[in-house]
Amino acid sequence: MTAVEFSYLCDCADGQLARRLKLDSNMGAELDFLIDELKAYLLLVGLTLNWWGTAPSETAPLLWGLGGLLTLGFALASTRFIRNPVVQASGAFQASRHGESAQTCHQKKRFWWVWAIARLITQYPQSLPIFALLNILPWFVMVYTVLHLGYSLLRLAQMLRRTSSGTE
């Protein structure tokens, strides 16, 4: 648990430091996204195996873990698709630099607080120790999965709407 939280703290700090010192680069942003993907997969696999270890005769932990990996995979793939330079050049999606989505979360838009809570759970699992202290880590896996499913469906609807509206 400590290693997971420490890795997220370092991830936040290195990106902020690079931007502040103007040392950020496209290669650094891509490497950061790759490391974020790997951390997300490892976190979900680790929590699923932990859950399954407490109830080895149950299939629910494995089904939630598999569902989580599938929805996480689609969420990451759709983010990668939207950030692709070819897609960005088409004008179908607004161009943004790595890290800008976190800044838009703080803008007071409709339901901004829902997005802020979802980001805390899915991108920077600061809530993980709370789930652990309450001994409800399986709930974290379920919430994490459902949030990624919601994000995936939202992105899929956006991609279908924007690609069918004539934007190439």
Side-chain angles (χ1 to χ4, degrees):
M1 184 70 59
T2 304
V4 169
E5 291 301 318
F6 183 71
S7 74
Y8 279 96
L9 179 67
C10 290
D11 181 37
C12 294
D14 78 330
Q16 290 295 326
L17 184 62
R19 283 188 282 280
R20 195 161 301 253
L21 297 176
K22 306 240 186 280
L23 297 173
D24 56 334
S25 66
N26 290 336
M27 177 66 113
E30 290 299 319
L31 181 60
D32 184 62
F33 191 73
L34 173 66
I35 298 300
D36 289 348
E37 289 179 30
L38 293 174
K39 274 192 307 197
Y41 282 117
L42 290 174
L43 174 67
L44 192 54
V45 167
L47 291 174
T48 299
L49 291 176
N50 176 277
W51 180 13
W52 186 47
T54 63
S57 62
E58 294 183 25
T59 57
L62 297 176
L63 293 174
W64 274 103
L66 179 60
L69 289 173
L70 292 172
T71 58
L72 177 62
F74 187 82
L76 293 170
S78 61
T79 298
R80 174 78 55 200
F81 173 79
I82 290 168
R83 288 183 180 175
N84 183 294
V86 173
V87 174
Q88 292 286 310
S90 74
F93 291 91
Q94 181 179 357
S96 64
R97 288 179 44 98
H98 184 72
E100 284 182 356
S101 61
Q103 295 166 358
T104 61
C105 181
H106 300 294
Q107 297 172 354
K108 301 292 188 230
K109 294 182 180 178
R110 194 171 176 193
F111 300 113
W112 66 270
W113 53 274
V114 173
W115 294 109
I117 292 169
R119 285 182 66 82
L120 284 175
I121 292 173
T122 60
Q123 295 187 2
Y124 310 105
Q126 296 162 336
S127 60
L128 190 57
I130 296 168
F131 284 85
L133 287 173
L134 296 174
N135 201 25
I136 54 171
L137 281 174
W139 281 96
F140 181 88
V141 173
M142 292 184 273
V143 170
Y144 192 78
T145 298
V146 168
L147 287 172
H148 278 95
L149 177 62
Y151 174 84
S152 298
L153 294 173
L154 177 69
R155 286 299 186 196
L156 180 61
Q158 287 176 333
M159 288 186 282
L160 291 173
R161 186 176 67 243
R162 292 180 185 176
T163 55
S164 67
S165 68
T167 308
E168 292 185 51

